[in-house]
Amino acid sequence: MGGCLMEDRGDYWGEEEMRLGGDYWAETGLQEDEYDYRRKINTYYPFHDEGEWELGRFLVENLTQTQIDKFLKLKPSFTSKDQLLDWVDALPSFVPWKVSNIEFTGYKTTYPVQLIWHDALEVIKQLFSDPVFANHITFQLHVVNTRGQRKYGDYMSADMAWKIQDHLPVGATQVPIILGSDKTPVTRITGGLEMHPLFITIGNLDSEVRSKATLRAWCCIAYMPIAKFCMHPDYQGILQAWLWHKCVDLVCANLKIAAKDGCFMPNPSRYIRYVFTLLVAHVDPWDLDKFQKTAKAAHLSGVHMPYWSDWMFACPSVFLAGEILHTCIKFFTDHPLNWVKETVGKRELDARFMVQHKRVGTWHFTKGVTHVNQMTGQEHRDIQHTIVASIAGVAAPRFIRSIRALIEFIYLAQNPVHSPDSLHSMVQVLSDFHAFKDAIIDAKARSFRGMVERLGMLMQFLADMTERLLITHCKHLFECMNRRSTDFMEQCVRILNRQESMEPFNLYTLFYSRGASLINAIHIEDEEVTTVNPALSWVSHVLPDEAHSVHGPRPVQNHFLKGILSEDALTAFHLTSTPDFNALTPVSIQTKYSLLDFDHALSRFIDQLSLSTGKHTRWDHRYGRFHTWNKFRLLLHSAFQSQVIMPSRVVQAYPPSDAFPLRNCDTVLINVMGDDGQTSKSIFAVPKIPRASNLVLPMFLSSPLLYVQFFHFVANPSNRPELAMWTVEHTYMIDQHGECYRCGGVVSLTDVDKKISSATSLESYDRFFLNSFTDKESYHTFSTEFT
């Protein structure tokens, strides 16, 4: 990390002397179960070979029991679904599931209350020592300073971690516990069955790993019972709250002991660490009637024994951290978006979203935004991208400014790394909202600055993850059952054990059968990061030919390796090997793409580059032939983490068609030289991408070119303070016959700097806002670089 100072703290407990003799697989049961002696002969036991194991795994993961029965009539080596499931049940398991009966003395329930649970400490030991995460886990506290600014990232770089470390024994390691829970219905219309899972992860793992449900960084440790008490309805809520806390207290009992006294755990490299399990985030009275009334009068929930009461260092004002999905994204939909609907009008707001330019990778609201009752978090974000520009001209300036302040706050809150400057910006935009909120409503907003300084960036506490886990651990789980209520709990336990056994067993057999080490060696991070899938990274380093066998997120295709690079090598471009049109003449291009000045623009480009480079050519472009493409991909590094490569963006450049009679083009930001020799930044539409071929040409003609149509700036952000956006306008020229047409030009493909979303239909209007809220990366760029 260039220009950074990092301070580490925390030591190993005698690593050289205390490294384990065995390995993770033995410690967690894969080499110590009752069938281990058989696996010394056949790695895939109880399956006959690798092919049979892969087939069985596929069936259990993808088919219901009825579908498995139908398939098995095709006569594979296992002859029934029961035999297949028995074989899967015989696989070694990690932390076993338990079922406990829960009772409240004096309070009866309609049905017996059963808790399905893991010992949370054993699950944490498994996560902490999992070799898959060897290159994605942090043990030391650290402070990172860049250009004199302290950076707040994950918990291990935050103030609270340092304060707690002062109270721990020398050499101790913090294991920050992050809990998540939610309730979801798993049946529709009939049945009314709900499930309430409790999930856990550790703050030592990289936040990028924890943010993806398929990477096994989150584990389900309990399915909380949802009971109905034989009491008056007024008491149901308080009794259910007591039940929930009592269950969490049971599940996390050993974690709380480890938080107070510490315990020893092996890390992924098999070294022993002395750890303390600290709760940092979480995304019985006798007179019930009197107690409830007293609690309500004091505005309390009535839970007199919360699960965290005896958890060392745990404080609800700290660990109940604000998380982005509900505190920001859902807040935007519930409040600012509703204010906009009331102010602008539903019909007008829908019309403004319906005519916006369609951009690849962004949801286009074909029917507007006011009629949608349920939206995903991504759709919420897509509305935020253009809401400020969309209400310009129809809402009062003070109203727009207050909405813009909230959008800026939401964007800043999602920074993956914070500094004093970014925290000050959050405070400032929130102050702007309060200064102009009289235009909307007299509302209050919660300050996040102290929270970031205590716990680190808020993106590590995303509730998106628990929302996704509800699908994988509840809805999908229920689909695998036979719907019998008589043995519902038993089915849950069996299915969960199967799911949690198969993926580790698959990795184990993959490495063991090929003679590879079962310990994931620490390797230096690649200069450019294209994936955050730890299992894929491990297999790719050790057994690259087997990378296809790993599930989960795939790496970003790195066009920096073989693509076309900009002069500063910070941007990569990719064209398909086969063009959309071959060997077109300039006249054909001019006609097909409806470009009146294409010939003149290309001629001017050749003359200017010949003069500036001193490389002249006698080639006459009027008789040349060109390949043309209708799109290209643009690849950038993250504006926040320069080593991370972002997914590529598609830039469209389609000619007129029945669907798009005026062409379908995106906008790009490119670098061109002005008449004064200073580099200026301008916005251009991209109608086509030509490439000269079959001739020995100067370098500037041998590389892909763009024909662009120009915009010019007509107003800066200070002219419209409520928007704080640049305003651009199409540039026009008048030919010798007095006809007016858009001014175009030809530039090199590598002059493209950033891709920017259009605010509306590019071909129907002349004036546009340069939208700084296109996405978080663009917002950061405009806030820090584009001035």
Side-chain angles (χ1 to χ4, degrees), residues 23 59 74 88 227 329 344 359 376 403 451 511 571 586 601 651 746:
D23 56 45
L59 295 177
L74 302 176
V88 175
I329 308 302
V344 175
R359 173 190 173 200
T376 65
I403 296 297
M451 196 181 304
F511 288 122
T571 308
V651 181
V746 173

Side-chain angles (χ1 to χ4, degrees), residues 146 149-152 415 417-424 452:
T146 303
Q149 293 277 312
R150 179 176 175 181
K151 300 296 183 182
Y152 293 93
N415 280 8
V417 178
H418 279 286
S419 66
D421 281 352
S422 67
L423 294 176
H424 175 74
V452 171

Side-chain angles (χ1 to χ4, degrees), residues 557-577:
Q557 187 168 357
N558 189 357
H559 297 303
F560 283 95
L561 299 178
K562 296 183 179 180
I564 304 166
L565 301 183
S566 60
E567 290 186 6
D568 58 8
L570 296 180
T571 308
F573 307 87
H574 173 71
L575 291 170
T576 58
S577 57

Side-chain angles (χ1 to χ4, degrees), residues 303-556:
V303 177
H304 64 296
M305 295 178 64
Y307 75 90
W308 43 263
S309 59
D310 56 346
W311 200 319
M312 185 68 71
F313 302 112
C315 176
S317 66
V318 174
F319 69 70
L320 293 179
E323 50 79 26
I324 298 298
L325 179 63
H326 292 92
T327 313
C328 291
I329 308 302
K330 189 73 163 55
F331 162 80
F332 166 78
T333 306
D334 290 343
H335 300 290
L337 183 58
N338 281 329
W339 302 336
V340 170
K341 291 177 184 178
E342 293 296 325
T343 303
V344 175
K346 293 184 178 181
R347 180 174 295 182
E348 177 67 20
L349 186 63
D350 282 341
R352 289 177 172 239
F353 271 89
M354 288 162 63
V355 299
Q356 288 178 7
H357 174 66
K358 292 183 178 180
R359 173 190 173 200
V360 175
T362 301
W363 183 261
H364 183 263
F365 296 91
T366 308
K367 298 181 180 180
V369 298
T370 63
H371 70 286
V372 183
N373 293 322
Q374 289 187 326
M375 283 187 281
T376 65
Q378 184 56 53
E379 288 168 331
H380 291 315
R381 293 179 175 94
D382 288 339
I383 294 176
Q384 291 174 21
H385 293 339
T386 56
I387 190 70
V388 176
S390 295
I391 63 177
V394 70
R398 289 179 64 84
F399 178 89
I400 297 173
R401 191 157 184 176
S402 61
I403 296 297
R404 193 201 80 213
L406 288 176
I407 298 297
E408 286 195 89
F409 179 83
I410 291 171
Y411 273 51
L412 288 167
Q414 296 177 76
N415 280 8
V417 178
H418 279 286
S419 66
D421 281 352
S422 67
L423 294 176
H424 175 74
S425 297
M426 290 175 67
V427 174
Q428 183 59 53
V429 296
L430 203 56
S431 298
D432 290 346
F433 166 72
H434 284 294
F436 295 97
K437 68 184 179 183
D438 58 284
I440 310 172
I441 191 172
D442 187 14
K444 294 182 179 180
R446 182 180 179 184
S447 173
F448 280 19
R449 177 169 185 163
M451 196 181 304
V452 171
E453 291 174 339
R454 284 195 303 270
L455 296 177
M457 53 116 174
L458 302 178
M459 289 295 285
Q460 63 181 317
F461 306 127
L462 274 177
D464 300 54
M465 186 50 46
T466 54
E467 299 279 345
R468 172 60 184 164
L469 291 170
L470 287 177
I471 298 175
T472 58
H473 286 71
C474 293
K475 298 183 185 295
H476 290 175
L477 178 66
F478 185 75
E479 291 170 0
C480 297
M481 297 178 182
N482 59 19
R483 276 58 168 184
R484 287 200 311 261
S485 59
T486 54
D487 61 345
F488 178 76
M489 292 298 177
E490 290 79 0
Q491 290 185 66
C492 284
V493 171
R494 286 198 299 269
I495 294 171
L496 290 169
N497 278 327
R498 290 166 191 158
Q499 291 177 345
E500 294 177 359
S501 298
M502 287 192 295
E503 186 167 351
F505 184 73
N506 184 59
L507 274 179
Y508 168 77
T509 55
L510 179 65
F511 288 122
Y512 190 82
S513 64
R514 286 150 179 81
S517 172
L518 299 178
I519 295 179
N520 188 1
I522 303 295
H523 62 268
I524 299 175
E525 281 294 330
D526 296 330
E527 184 176 342
E528 294 180 330
V529 179
T530 59
T531 180
V532 289
N533 186 340
L536 178 60
S537 298
W538 185 10
V539 174
S540 297
H541 277 89
V542 180
L543 300 169
D545 293 338
E546 302 295 336
H548 65 277
S549 64
V550 179
H551 295 309
R554 312 312 295 176
V556 172

Side-chain angles (χ1 to χ4, degrees), residues 170-235:
V170 175
T173 299
Q174 294 185 48
V175 178
I177 302 299
I178 302 174
L179 297 175
S181 62
D182 207 345
K183 186 191 297 184
T184 184
V186 294
T187 55
R188 300 278 183 179
I189 303 175
T190 60
L193 180 62
E194 292 182 313
M195 300 183 76
H196 193 169
L198 178 65
F199 301 103
I200 196 168
T201 188
I202 54 177
N204 308 86
L205 297 177
D206 294 349
S207 58
E208 293 88 351
V209 174
R210 285 186 273 119
S211 67
K212 293 179 172 56
T214 56
L215 299 184
R216 296 194 301 115
W218 284 86
C219 295
C220 182
I221 55 174
Y223 285 91
M224 313 304 285
I226 302 174
K228 185 175 182 180
F229 289 85
C230 301
M231 298 288 292
H232 190 277
D234 289 350
Y235 303 123

